[in-house]
Amino acid sequence: MKIKYHICLYLLFALSWTSVAHAKLNIVASTPDLGDIVREIGKDKVEVTSIAKPTEDPHFVDAKPGFIVKLNKADMLIEGGLQLEIGWLPPLVLSARNQKILPGNPGYFVVTSMGINILEVPTEVSRALGDVHPFGNPHFMLDPLNGGIVATHICNRLCEIDAADCTYYKDNLNNFIKRLDLKLSEWQKMLEPFRGTKTVTYHKTFPYFAQRFNLDVVGTLEPKPGIPPSPTHLNTLIPMMKKEGVKLILIEQFRERKIPEFVASQTGAKIVVVPIMVGGLKETTDYIALFDYIVKQIVIALETKS
Amino acid sequence: MKWRLYVLFLCVIIIKSVTFSPSCRAVPIKNEDLQSMINTKETGEDVKEIRIRKDEFDEIVGQLQGMKALMEKMKEDYESRFQELQEKIATLEREKTDNIFISQSDAKITNPLSDQGTSIPQNNKTTEMVSPPSNKAETVQQTEAPGTSSAPIFPDTSMASQATNSVSGQWSPAQPLTLWSSGKNYMNISFDGLFAAGGSTAKDLEDIETGGHDPAQRGFTVQNLETVFEGAIDPYFKGQSNIVFQIDKGGESVVEVEEAYLTSMSLPMNLQVKAGTFFTEFGRLNQTHPHTWDFADQPLVNGRFLGPDGLRNPGARISWLAPTDNYTELFFTMQDSQGETAYSFRNQHALFGRNHVDTDVRNLGDMLYVPRVATSFDLTDEQTIVLGSSAAFGPNSTGTDENTLIYGLDMFWKWKSKYASGGFPFVTWQTEVMRRRFEAGAVTDNLPAEVMHNWGSYSQVSWGFKQRWVAALRGDYVDGEEGATDPSGFERWRLSPNLTFYPSEFSKIRLQYNYDDILGNNSTEHSVFLQFEFLLGSHGAHKF
């Protein structure tokens, strides 16, 4: 009898331990960009964890067991979708054993499921073409307008989960959208003189950015997505860049620099190295600062040339 | 101040929702509703309006004008998007003539649009807050403009996005078969082929290699042809099955059901259940399939204690995730204790030269039990460590009441640069130590009943020094078994350096050398393996 009583006590203790009401909403975002947007809207009412490091290649993130604990306690999981997270998020979610963040519940949100105009959706799927994302390019957060759309949807979801603070979230959203929109026109004005600048990127990371700010991406250093630059590819790329008059090589901060530098020396194009996620550099503390930095770097590089 | 923010919010939302709304024909009606709602509210709002100072009011008007300009810009932007969509429709329309099935494609894709639709009433609610009537009218007119002008587009747009998104789901003779691309199907299917070409000073490689999937002969070996099916069974379970084909030395094709199990998704109290037939969660390597290994063959100690094919059997496992800040998980597995895949237990081939005693399961004590605890923490931002401790106990086949106990410690450490590109550079270090206590039953004529203690260990380091390139080194040691007559029981140590090139995540080529010092018979064997692998289809992500 006594043992049973003890077991009951223990179970009760375990239960209460897991169901302690948190004052803040625990939110896990797959990337720091999404995490930052949540922070903008939830401010001090949310505790945000981002899984991918801002500095690393978001296609290859380690599914570290520590994140299982975060997901286990999460009220909401936000992922980008388009299979960016396919290599690391599913095993974490399976181990997390948390009903709230499973598909079909308000606590699970794939941001590309609504409102985003997805680019580069392939009509043919074959790995002979490299590591192509079958549902389109997942780097949509590099268009600030998409950031606004994502923020709106995240706000709606937060309202669904935490109706009591809905007006608070909406105020923050309005504030964020307002700042973002003003900034967007500022960035567009800054880059207007360089409209149509012929650009080469390392990976297909920047189509959304290029579309928003009217850069013309004519090629990539990678012969195919996920395949590092090969001599054969560079032998065709360099003459093409010379012919097209490519002025800008835009690469993510985690890429090796040797090949881009070689290509730049051959073609006279300027290399601009930028973080692609919030927190990649100490200057890019939030989503708006990220674009401030990227736009500024591009402007500096293109201005010094002419 | 708050209502001013609402105005901003409303403006943005209205533009967005109207432009995305699938049913824009309904917009004019909604605007009427909206206006009537506003009218009814106005009387109440008038009182508040008087309190606003003139300069404040002017400021608001200024801001709203700014917003107006901004919205116009956004309108342009959305119009360019419409054009893009229209172009898409045009191309898809052409495709539609070839393919009648489009209209039947999943309704799932319409969700984004209908979700947008449902957000409209919410926006209308916020309209009630708008007080200056003149501006109100303006916003309404503005929203009307893009709405009505683009109304005819929308029914088609939803169709178009349906079609673009379901490209992988439909079929046309010109397209490759993409039936199993993940995300649009109930399960993922993948096929993995793992082969090795080997040369060795040992006449028979099978004598010195302890794993069932290791290179087995001079020349070529089909190590593992693995088909994996996995997916969500229902909202409660996830299922996985690994069916392995091998071609043995005699040229016969062999089928092995390696794993087939379900895992619960969200049991209460942080519990999780796994049931079916699966690799026992003992140590690190035993739980994984050969194609994820960093070496062409399995460590000696795994082959000797857990068996050539690893420790696996039908059974069930329950695990509990501790509600701590660090990851700590307790596992408890119960499995059948007989068969070749329970090598140190009720195996038909009794160990230590004993005779196989045919036993039945008499009670729960005759099952195989495997408790395990694993914990993990970050040493720094770039370094993570996972520590584990496991035990396996159950009866063995050398007698009616003889038992085996294996216990082990495992450690995995990983450093990965925070500027990793494609997952490189990284360094991992994995070590396992195992000890076995084996009660060997007496054989009437010559062998007494005795207790055998053996131990073994391996330690391996992998260094991803450059994108796509990994260099690795492994050291192996096992002590000698009593009465051993061949390398499978002798004391030996082995050193294995290798170099792996990954053309992509889906293929690899590996060159490995084994320096094998078999102390039991004072011989040294040298082996070289060239291993290659390919992976087709969508293969589930691996654990850390």
Side-chain angles (χ1 to χ4, degrees), chain A residues 55 97 99 131 174 212, chain B residues 9 77 266 329 418 505:
Chain A
T55 45
R97 55 203 85 177
Q99 178 71 38
D131 210 348
N174 292 342
R212 180 61 47 220
Chain B
F9 175 59
D77 193 80
S266 58
E329 193 170 353
K418 63 176 179 179
E505 293 164 78

Side-chain angles (χ1 to χ4, degrees), chain A:
Chain A
M1 269 317 280
K2 207 174 179 190
I3 293 168
K4 262 188 194 165
Y5 180 68
H6 273 288
I7 290 172
C8 277
L9 258 185
Y10 176 71
L11 289 181
L12 271 175
F13 174 64
L15 259 180
S16 59
W17 197 354
T18 49
S19 61
V20 167
H22 286 280
K24 286 184 177 185
L25 287 176
N26 284 315
I27 296 176
V28 178
S30 64
T31 65
D33 296 322
L34 299 175
D36 185 65
I37 302 273
V38 179
R39 225 172 268 126
E40 290 283 359
I41 295 160
K43 294 239 160 77
D44 54 351
K45 297 213 185 292
V46 294
E47 187 72 50
V48 183
T49 309
S50 306
I51 297 178
K53 285 198 190 88
T55 45
E56 75 184 336
D57 186 343
H59 300 85
F60 298 89
V61 176
D62 281 337
K64 291 197 266 189
F67 292 119
I68 293 171
V69 179
K70 299 281 186 196
L71 284 168
N72 177 254
K73 292 174 182 168
D75 297 298
M76 187 169 171
L77 165 66
I78 296 174
E79 76 169 293
L82 306 178
Q83 297 199 347
L84 180 69
E85 293 92 346
I86 196 166
W88 40 277
L89 198 53
L92 293 176
V93 173
L94 177 66
S95 298
R97 55 203 85 177
N98 180 352
Q99 178 71 38
K100 285 187 206 161
I101 56 160
L102 293 179
N105 296 311
Y108 174 71
F109 183 40
V110 181
V111 295
T112 45
S113 65
M114 44 169 74
I116 308 279
N117 182 29
I118 296 158
L119 301 179
E120 296 180 354
V121 181
T123 49
E124 182 191 339
V125 180
S126 163
R127 289 206 178 123
L129 304 171
D131 210 348
V132 177
H133 290 273
F135 299 105
N137 189 303
H139 304 285
F140 56 91
M141 286 301 278
L142 285 169
D143 176 353
L145 211 62
N146 285 342
I149 294 168
V150 166
T152 312
H153 293 309
I154 288 178
C155 177
N156 287 341
R157 279 299 173 102
L158 283 174
C159 282
E160 220 174 300
I161 291 175
D162 178 22
D165 291 315
C166 191
T167 44
Y168 177 78
Y169 299 136
K170 285 196 168 154
D171 285 350
N172 291 339
L173 173 70
N174 292 342
N175 186 296
F176 175 66
I177 298 269
K178 194 173 112 189
R179 278 191 295 136
L180 190 65
D181 281 340
L182 289 176
K183 274 290 188 178
L184 175 58
S185 47
E186 188 185 303
W187 296 323
Q188 278 175 327
K189 213 183 287 164
M190 281 170 81
L191 286 172
E192 189 51 39
F194 311 108
R195 176 180 274 271
T197 299
K198 296 263 194 330
T199 307
V200 162
T201 61
Y202 199 104
H203 177 72
K204 287 186 172 175
T205 305
F206 298 98
Y208 294 90
F209 183 85
Q211 182 191 261
R212 180 61 47 220
F213 297 106
N214 301 306
L215 299 176
D216 185 8
V217 178
V218 295
T220 55
L221 295 178
E222 288 182 339
K224 281 162 188 169
I227 308 290
S230 64
T232 356
H233 176 63
L234 294 183
N235 279 340
T236 55
L237 184 76
I238 290 170
M240 186 277 279
M241 285 172 71
K242 282 182 183 158
K243 205 175 118 229
E244 294 273 341
V246 172
K247 291 205 174 61
L248 182 65
I249 299 174
L250 194 55
I251 62 173
E252 309 92 322
Q253 67 180 147
F254 52 78
R255 298 288 176 195
E256 51 87 23
R257 306 289 153 78
K258 248 200 207 139
I259 289 169
E261 271 160 15
F262 170 73
V263 173
S265 71
Q266 294 289 306
T267 59
K270 280 267 151 71
I271 301 180
V272 173
V273 181
V274 293
I276 57 163
M277 288 187 277
V278 172
L281 286 175
K282 63 177 189 300
E283 291 92 336
T284 61
T285 46
D286 61 32
Y287 191 64
I288 287 172
L290 174 69
F291 286 98
D292 268 338
Y293 184 84
I294 298 177
V295 170
K296 207 174 101 196
Q297 294 304 310
I298 293 174
V299 169
I300 290 170
L302 292 177
E303 264 175 355
T304 50
K305 178 145 174 77
S306 52

Side-chain angles (χ1 to χ4, degrees), chain B residues 393-443:
Chain B
F393 51 93
N396 70 49
S397 54
T398 62
T400 49
D401 285 305
E402 269 61 39
N403 291 308
T404 303
L405 167 64
I406 306 172
Y407 44 100
L409 294 171
D410 54 274
M411 187 276 296
F412 177 72
W413 169 89
K414 180 168 185 178
W415 169 84
K416 189 172 104 176
S417 165
K418 63 176 179 179
Y419 298 107
S421 171
F424 293 82
F426 68 86
V427 180
T428 62
W429 178 30
Q430 178 170 324
T431 300
E432 287 190 57
V433 186
M434 287 176 219
R435 208 178 157 83
R436 182 178 64 189
R437 181 184 182 278
F438 190 95
E439 295 171 4
V443 176

Side-chain angles (χ1 to χ4, degrees), chain B residues 50-69:
Chain B
I50 297 161
R51 288 182 200 160
I52 298 168
R53 287 208 311 267
K54 197 182 173 295
D55 56 335
E56 216 175 328
F57 182 77
D58 288 341
E59 197 193 323
I60 297 159
V61 172
Q63 275 182 355
L64 282 167
Q65 274 163 352
M67 279 302 292
K68 191 185 154 192

Side-chain angles (χ1 to χ4, degrees), chain B residues 240-242 257-262 274-280 312-316 335-336 341:
Chain B
Q240 179 171 337
S241 130
N242 299 55
V257 180
E258 211 158 50
E259 293 196 282
Y261 61 88
L262 57 78
K274 184 170 170 177
T277 179
F278 51 89
F279 277 117
T280 312
R312 61 180 159 86
N313 252 346
Q335 283 174 314
D336 285 342
T341 52

Side-chain angles (χ1 to χ4, degrees), chain B residues 16 169 219 221 306 353 397 408 452 492 518:
Chain B
K16 280 179 185 163
T221 305
L306 305 177
S397 54
M452 311 292 191
R492 58 197 277 203
I518 300 158

Side-chain angles (χ1 to χ4, degrees), chain B residues 289-311:
Chain B
H289 294 270
H291 82 100
T292 65
W293 295 350
D294 294 336
F295 291 82
D297 48 2
Q298 88 176 12
L300 295 170
V301 63
N302 283 63
R304 222 177 248 193
F305 292 178
L306 305 177
D309 282 318
L311 183 59

